[in-house]
Amino acid sequence: MPSSVTAAAVRGDLRNVAIVAHVDHGKTTLVDAMLWQSGAFGAHDHVDERAMDSGDLEREKGITILAKNTAVRYHGPAAAAAGQPDGITINVIDTPGHADFGGEVERGLSMVDGVVLLVDASEGPLPQTRFVLRKALAAKLPVILVVNKVDRPDARITEVVAEATDLLLGLASDLHEDVPDLDLDSILDVPVVYASAKAGRASLEQPADGALPDSENLEPLFATILEKIPAPTYDEDAPLQAHVTNLDASPFLGRLALLRIFNGTLRKGQTVAWVRNDGSQQNVRITELLETKALERVPTDSAGPGDIVAVAGIENITIGDTLTDPDDPRPLPPITVDDPAISMTIGINTSPLAGKGGKGHKVTARQVKDRLDKELIGNVSLRVVPTDRPDAWEVQGRGELALAILVEQMRREGFELTVGKPQVVTKVVDGKVHEPMERMTIDVPEEYLGAVTQLLAQRKGRMETMSNHGTGWVRMEFVVPARGLIGFRTRFLTETRGTGIASSIAEGFEPWAGVIETRMTGSLVADRAGVATPFAMLNLQERGSFFVEPTAEVYEGMVVGENSRNEDMDVNITKEKKLNNIRSSTAESFENLVPPRKLTLEESLEFAREDECVEVTPEIVRIRKVVLDQTERARIWARTKKG
């Protein structure tokens, strides 16, 4: 809320709230239940589960990537009690749970007046909970604690509430110096709601561990939101002030800017002053004004303070800009986002097979650059830095997942790319190189304790705390260099047989930790172009495992498999069987060829070494050496060995 606002008029028929939590704690499911119970969908409407996750990738991976808003029209008893018998509109912002998409959370918090903090009744507060909560408290937003999934058989409700309260107090004491006017009393008095989002039930009374809340619906949650989240306040005399917090696109209207109006009224057809982040100003006309109803955007004539609306008609508007009164412009402060920690080089496809995969592929440098520029508009946590090559750019983001998702989206749009191995973004402090650190929380069954500790020790991790709840699970906290976590997830899941839960959050910068050896195996590299033959693969298979199928097209310098020893090996995978006119008894012995490992994009990025990169096309993902020529590679290797 801008500082110019005085406690004047109040919009009693409106609440703006963000739902924040760690990944998989049930944010999107809760929003679903709120929409259904407020009668947003008709009886015959076909609505998918997790209706807010609209993107294909979001559906596939089961995670929220982009922050989205919806409007719930609530008519229950609590609305009448609050003096609004006609109903109250609750604007809900569904935010992602991964720290990689932290920029989305920060934007979401800039448009609301309070936060619903969701915590899993078994897992308790996790690093991302800490991250989003810290942001909410720094913005002086009131918090409602919702303990979700109380009906889990392994729920431990009392302990989780105690952990969440400790976390709140710990963060409040940390922030006390930075935010002097923090209201500690309200933090101590945080309301707790017990819920099961899947069952669509909530209660203020604590149920037994593993039991459902006693209320039949989410009424207690709605009542708590209306009571604890303040209604938007505004100054009646102030001119128009609206902050752009998100962008969207419509096939009919072009670019849409999502705004939170702080003061004044916005009307369709009105001329307003558009103030950019750099301070420049120009007058623009609002051609279309849309408000959100459930999952639809519908045209409206005007919107007042506190409303979250979308406007069309402004071509190059970006996040953080302000729409204000042309006669009395008062711009709002821009949105700040945490610095990037991981970078990756993205360039055009430079392999011998570039452009041969299919028709309509986007292979030129201009197409790639335009797409990256387009991504920058809507994604505040990304940066694109030019490199010394005109056809490659360094893309920096908060984490490996965020960058991998960008590459996956571009691949689905028909781009062919060469993607370098993820690196960390370092900075020099007092003449010493510092690298980003991550605070990692790991939950594993007791029997894997040794394996996980060893795995993180290899990656220069430092254990801070360890606790055993007596449930057979152990929780550990490590501080690890961010580069030690590149490729960590796959190894971790293998070591813990898929049972471990790991999540991390940025922890600032520390001096460079030294060399981290993450991969103990070498690569099998094709030494000539051609087609992979079953005969050659059969002879080579005891050397390691393959990534390519028989009859797949290969080229010199392409990584065709993993060597079981710690060195690269050039192999001839295109070798044909010598034919003669004598019938052979081994003619049909290809049944015993071990099936190849199919690597996904994320696995390929994790697997690649410093001297390797990943070729991404809409059809296939290949790993290759940066230098394709075998003799040239040998020369470079000899040089580094001498040096």
Side-chain angles (χ1 to χ4, degrees), residues 42 44 72 76-77 96 174 178 192 222 258 267 311 320 331 370 399 420 436 443 473 494 516 519 574 609:
H44 303 293
V72 174
D174 285 358
D178 303 341
V192 181
F222 283 122
L258 272 101
R267 292 183 181 79
V311 299
D370 287 353
D443 285 314
W473 283 70
T494 310
I516 296 178
R519 196 175 119 200
T574 63
R609 270 201 170 148

Side-chain angles (χ1 to χ4, degrees), residues 116 127 170 200 299 389 570 587:
V116 170
R389 288 183 35 210
D570 290 300

Side-chain angles (χ1 to χ4, degrees), residues 296-318:
E296 301 292 315
R297 289 206 180 99
V298 292
T300 181
D301 289 328
S302 71
D307 280 330
I308 297 173
V309 290
V311 299
I314 310 169
E315 186 55 41
N316 297 319
I317 194 163
T318 69

Side-chain angles (χ1 to χ4, degrees), residues 211-253:
L212 280 169
D214 57 9
S215 165
E216 290 295 312
N217 52 25
L218 291 175
E219 182 61 40
L221 174 63
F222 283 122
T224 312
I225 289 176
L226 297 191
E227 186 188 340
K228 294 291 177 183
I229 305 290
T233 57
Y234 61 100
D235 185 353
E236 287 180 319
D237 305 326
L240 171 69
Q241 282 181 307
H243 209 195
V244 180
T245 52
N246 210 341
L247 296 174
D248 202 356
S250 148
F252 307 111
L253 300 168

Side-chain angles (χ1 to χ4, degrees), residues 463-484:
M463 191 187 282
E464 299 263 302
T465 60
M466 182 168 105
S467 57
N468 191 333
H469 299 308
T471 53
W473 283 70
V474 179
R475 172 167 292 181
M476 298 173 279
E477 258 194 30
F478 290 87
V479 174
V480 196
R483 63 195 164 103

Side-chain angles (χ1 to χ4, degrees), residues 2 33 56 60 91 123 128 181 239 284 314 349 382 397 419 423 427 455 490 529 585 591 608 621:
D56 290 345
E60 280 170 35
N91 284 316
E123 292 176 12
Q128 190 58 27
D181 52 344
V284 289
I314 310 169
N349 188 2
L382 274 193
V419 181
Q423 309 283 344
K427 62 181 185 186
L455 187 62
T490 317
S585 60
E591 289 83 64
V621 175

